[in-house]
Amino acid sequence: MKTHVYLAPLIFFSTTALADIAVVVHPSNTNTMNKKVISRVFTGKVKVFPDDSRAIPINQTASSPPANEFNRKVLRKSASQLKAYWSKRLFTGKGRPPQEVSSDADMVELVASNPEFIGYVDADMVTDQVRVISTFK
């Protein structure tokens, strides 16, 4: 019986850890970006899309599965490493962390409302309200 108790969290973790992450923008945004540029936008090092229009990154809540996957797959940082990174940037006056939303649905709604926003969601949650510019497996 104890075996089932220990396996349940592992089964849940394994299915959530395999989610594809889609980086999304407003449908009118025709820019393309690779992983390196996306990472630089989300770490505040780049503030524009390749066409020089303003790029405003939007994160999901740090503890959410999509945020954990995005941080691991794209930024290659843990939540604690990102917290330390943004603390240093704030202290030195070099930037602020991106605004956060609490769900994939909120992300889609927000990104669909402004051509300057860029965000990410579980790839299964993409709708026609946004355009996918990259997917990370």
Side-chain angles (χ1 to χ4, degrees), residues 9-22:
L10 293 175
I11 292 168
F12 176 75
F13 176 76
S14 67
T15 58
T16 59
L18 298 176
D20 291 349
I21 295 297

Side-chain angles (χ1 to χ4, degrees), residues 19-23 34-35 38 70 73-74 134-137:
D20 291 349
I21 295 297
V23 177
N34 63 27
K35 183 178 186 176
I38 293 168
F70 180 81
K73 293 175 179 176
V74 180
S134 196
T135 302
F136 298 96
K137 299 185 180 282

Side-chain angles (χ1 to χ4, degrees), residues 15-16 18-24 66 104-105 108 120-128 130 132 135-137:
T15 58
T16 59
L18 298 176
D20 291 349
I21 295 297
V23 177
V24 295
D104 288 324
V108 168
Y120 54 85
V121 295
D122 180 309
D124 292 337
M125 300 303 292
V126 172
T127 71
D128 60 0
V130 294
V132 175
T135 302
F136 298 96
K137 299 185 180 282

Side-chain angles (χ1 to χ4, degrees), residues 56-134:
I56 302 171
I58 309 293
N59 272 335
Q60 292 211 32
T61 307
S63 62
S64 73
N68 289 328
E69 288 297 298
F70 180 81
N71 295 344
R72 183 176 65 82
K73 293 175 179 176
V74 180
L75 304 182
R76 297 185 182 202
K77 295 184 184 300
S78 68
S80 60
Q81 287 173 317
L82 279 171
K83 186 175 181 177
Y85 172 83
W86 284 112
S87 292
K88 182 178 177 182
R89 300 240 341 154
L90 274 168
F91 181 76
T92 60
K94 292 185 178 178
R96 298 178 156 272
Q99 172 186 339
E100 290 184 349
V101 297
S102 60
S103 70
D104 288 324
D106 289 345
M107 180 68 77
V108 168
E109 184 178 332
L110 188 62
V111 169
S113 73
N114 189 326
E116 295 180 339
F117 291 160
I118 179 171
Y120 54 85
V121 295
D122 180 309
D124 292 337
M125 300 303 292
V126 172
T127 71
D128 60 0
Q129 293 178 288
V130 294
R131 185 174 77 82
V132 175
I133 61 169
S134 196

Side-chain angles (χ1 to χ4, degrees), residues 5-55:
V5 172
Y6 294 116
L7 289 178
L10 293 175
I11 292 168
F12 176 75
F13 176 76
S14 67
T15 58
T16 59
L18 298 176
D20 291 349
I21 295 297
V23 177
V24 295
V25 295
H26 189 273
S28 68
N29 184 330
T30 59
N31 288 284
T32 59
M33 299 166 71
N34 63 27
K35 183 178 186 176
K36 183 178 180 180
V37 176
I38 293 168
S39 177
R40 292 179 59 79
V41 167
F42 277 87
T43 54
K45 295 175 181 173
V46 169
K47 297 185 185 301
V48 295
F49 286 107
D51 69 359
D52 286 330
S53 62
R54 190 167 128 175

